[in-house]
Amino acid sequence: MFNSLSRFSCVSLLALLPLLGTVPSNGQTTEPITKAELDARNLVVMAQVFYENKQYDQAIESATNATKLLPKDHRPWTIIGNSYLSQWKMKSASEAYAKAAEINPRHRGLWYLKAYADRSRNAREESIAAAKKAIEIDPNYAEAYAIMAESLAMGSKDNKGAIEAFRTALKLKPGLVSASEGLGMQLSVAGDKKGEEEVYRKAMELDPQKMACRFPLGRILVQQGRLIEARELWNGRKSDETNTFPLFITLLERAEKKKAATDKLAASPDDPQALMEMGFVEMEGEFWSHDGRQLRALEYFKKAITKEPDLIRAQFGICKAYVELADQDKKVSPDLDRELKKLREMDAKLAAEIDEYRKSFKGSFKVSTDKIDQ
């Protein structure tokens, strides 16, 4: 949910109202501004310029100096909070927003920003409390309901409250994409795949570009084996996905390759080439994922070798699978050594590739190897 900081940007700008005095039609300021006051306000302007130029340390320094000269102005503290948030220093951001809200407690955006920062640092209760403050000020504040819903979902076995809050956010603002994404996720956790799909489709329909929730919807279609629909969804995109991994297109292409390999194997179950290809398809996945794919792949590779003992690529696949398994379970290393010796006798160049792969592969998963056939 927190792939970028763009969701808070519009709120942060609202929290920074015009930095200089109100100017009426006659061009005169409504109240005389002393030089000291003007210098203080200029510090705020300077801090905001530093912030916009991503010079966060300078922004914090200027804004901090401004807080001493303008103790009743929430804007310097808001700039400090924004600067910390942009550096993902969420505790410091939360503290700055709290000080800004203390000065201007009826500003809904300040409470939202605090809720956002607290949510981002997993401070569940503090985030919920800040979001409720924003809602108390403005009962129609959809974004506040959405951030509260995200916080309600944290570490909770019962996500009914989160679902209800997300639905309220969407009722108030049907085009709020973050709420659609959050609601879809919570419905998925609750096992309501149909409801999840409906939420994503509605969000996409409301978007003039038809891009909102397009990729989450695509993931559902892939999971359900609806690959033709998923491919059409991908082909109809206006832009590519860049902020969620694995990418939808990666999952789709894997699923398409697996279907093709499965169909080929079903037509020729004893074909060593089909068995080997199925093994390589099973091997595909994220290095951090411990889904047992290496064990499944080994079964296909070993069957292929049984059918065709000189099938070098199948032996290569066996070695590659053992490298990944041995990365976290060292008791598999003797099996890797044994199979690598066989590969070296078959093809020294491919064996050298496995040697390099063994040195470079660093996974972050741990699987049980008890079911490996020796």
Side-chain angles (χ1 to χ4, degrees):
M1 302 294 293
F2 293 92
N3 295 316
S4 73
L5 300 178
S6 60
R7 287 175 52 198
F8 92 98
S9 59
C10 61
V11 180
S12 65
L13 290 174
L14 289 173
L16 294 168
L17 301 175
L19 296 174
L20 297 175
T22 301
V23 180
S25 57
N26 64 5
Q28 298 294 320
T29 55
T30 56
E31 295 180 6
I33 299 177
T34 67
K35 183 179 183 303
E37 289 173 328
L38 185 59
D39 289 344
R41 294 189 182 194
N42 286 340
L43 274 176
V44 180
V45 174
M46 187 184 303
Q48 178 63 12
V49 171
F50 281 135
Y51 167 73
E52 290 174 357
N53 289 327
K54 299 183 179 181
Q55 296 173 284
Y56 301 124
D57 289 342
Q58 293 95 319
I60 292 169
E61 181 180 357
S62 293
T64 300
N65 289 333
T67 63
K68 300 170 185 176
L69 300 173
L70 298 170
K72 295 183 179 181
D73 192 333
H74 72 271
R75 291 169 299 179
W77 285 112
T78 304
I79 295 171
I80 293 170
N82 293 346
S83 299
Y84 279 128
L85 190 143
S86 296
Q87 300 175 83
W88 210 257
K89 297 178 180 179
M90 294 301 177
K91 189 173 188 300
S92 295
S94 173
E95 292 170 351
Y97 292 138
K99 290 178 180 178
E102 182 180 343
I103 294 169
N104 192 350
R106 297 301 299 171
H107 195 309
R108 66 172 197 168
L110 298 176
W111 291 110
Y112 171 84
L113 289 168
K114 185 178 188 310
Y116 183 97
D118 288 331
R119 166 64 184 88
S120 300
R121 68 187 183 95
N122 296 323
R124 181 180 187 272
E125 300 305 323
E126 291 180 46
S127 178
I128 292 171
K132 286 182 176 179
K133 285 277 192 180
I135 293 168
E136 181 182 315
I137 296 167
D138 182 359
N140 295 319
Y141 196 0
E143 288 83 356
Y145 276 103
I147 201 71
M148 183 173 71
E150 292 177 10
S151 299
L152 285 168
M154 291 174 56
S156 176
K157 295 180 180 179
D158 183 2
N159 63 355
K160 291 180 181 178
I163 290 174
E164 182 181 350
F166 276 129
R167 289 196 188 281
T168 301
L170 288 172
K171 182 178 179 181
L172 293 168
K173 194 172 184 178
L176 187 57
V177 177
S178 64
S180 294
E181 291 175 341
L183 177 57
M185 188 181 302
Q186 292 306 312
L187 291 173
S188 177
V189 171
D192 186 358
K193 294 295 183 181
K194 181 180 179 181
E196 180 187 11
E197 181 176 341
E198 289 174 352
V199 167
Y200 293 153
R201 287 193 182 279
K202 184 174 181 180
M204 192 170 74
E205 185 61 31
L206 288 171
D207 180 10
Q209 297 298 313
K210 307 303 180 194
M211 287 300 297
C213 296
R214 175 178 286 266
F215 298 128
L217 174 59
R219 285 178 165 77
I220 293 178
L221 298 178
V222 170
Q223 290 170 3
Q224 296 178 351
R226 297 155 62 184
L227 302 185
I228 295 176
E229 292 179 68
R231 175 55 67 174
E232 290 174 351
L233 201 67
W234 172 256
N235 291 340
R237 74 197 185 282
K238 295 286 198 308
S239 60
D240 291 343
E241 183 181 37
T242 59
N243 60 355
T244 303
F245 297 94
L247 297 174
F248 162 49
I249 185 58
T250 301
L251 297 176
L252 175 58
E253 289 177 345
R254 283 179 190 164
E256 290 173 334
K257 286 164 59 176
K258 187 168 186 177
K259 185 180 186 307
T262 301
D263 291 345
K264 182 177 180 180
L265 185 59
S268 304
D270 294 323
D271 181 358
Q273 289 289 334
L275 287 163
M276 179 187 67
E277 288 176 18
M278 193 68 200
F280 281 114
V281 167
E282 285 284 6
M283 280 283 289
E284 292 194 16
E286 279 59 55
F287 68 88
W288 63 80
S289 176
H290 48 91
D291 53 7
R293 64 182 185 276
Q294 293 85 0
L295 303 180
R296 296 192 298 272
L298 278 173
E299 293 183 16
Y300 289 112
F301 290 139
K302 289 180 178 181
K303 286 180 182 177
I305 287 288
T306 300
K307 302 289 183 183
E308 188 177 328
D310 295 329
L311 191 56
I312 297 175
R313 286 191 63 231
Q315 186 62 34
F316 177 85
I318 289 174
C319 292
K320 187 174 181 180
Y322 273 124
V323 166
E324 296 184 9
L325 290 169
D327 179 66
Q328 295 264 327
D329 193 342
K330 299 305 179 185
K331 72 179 182 181
V332 178
S333 295
D335 303 307
L336 171 57
D337 293 336
R338 181 190 66 241
E339 298 299 334
L340 184 53
K341 181 179 179 181
K342 294 179 186 177
L343 179 61
R344 209 177 303 279
E345 293 170 355
M346 299 167 77
D347 189 315
K349 186 176 180 180
L350 285 179
E353 285 188 28
I354 292 295
D355 287 331
E356 289 303 312
Y357 188 60
R358 191 176 190 176
K359 293 176 184 177
S360 62
F361 181 79
K362 294 296 179 184
S364 59
F365 62 89
K366 188 173 182 64
V367 299
S368 171
T369 56
D370 294 337
K371 296 183 180 179
I372 295 180
D373 295 329
Q374 301 299 330

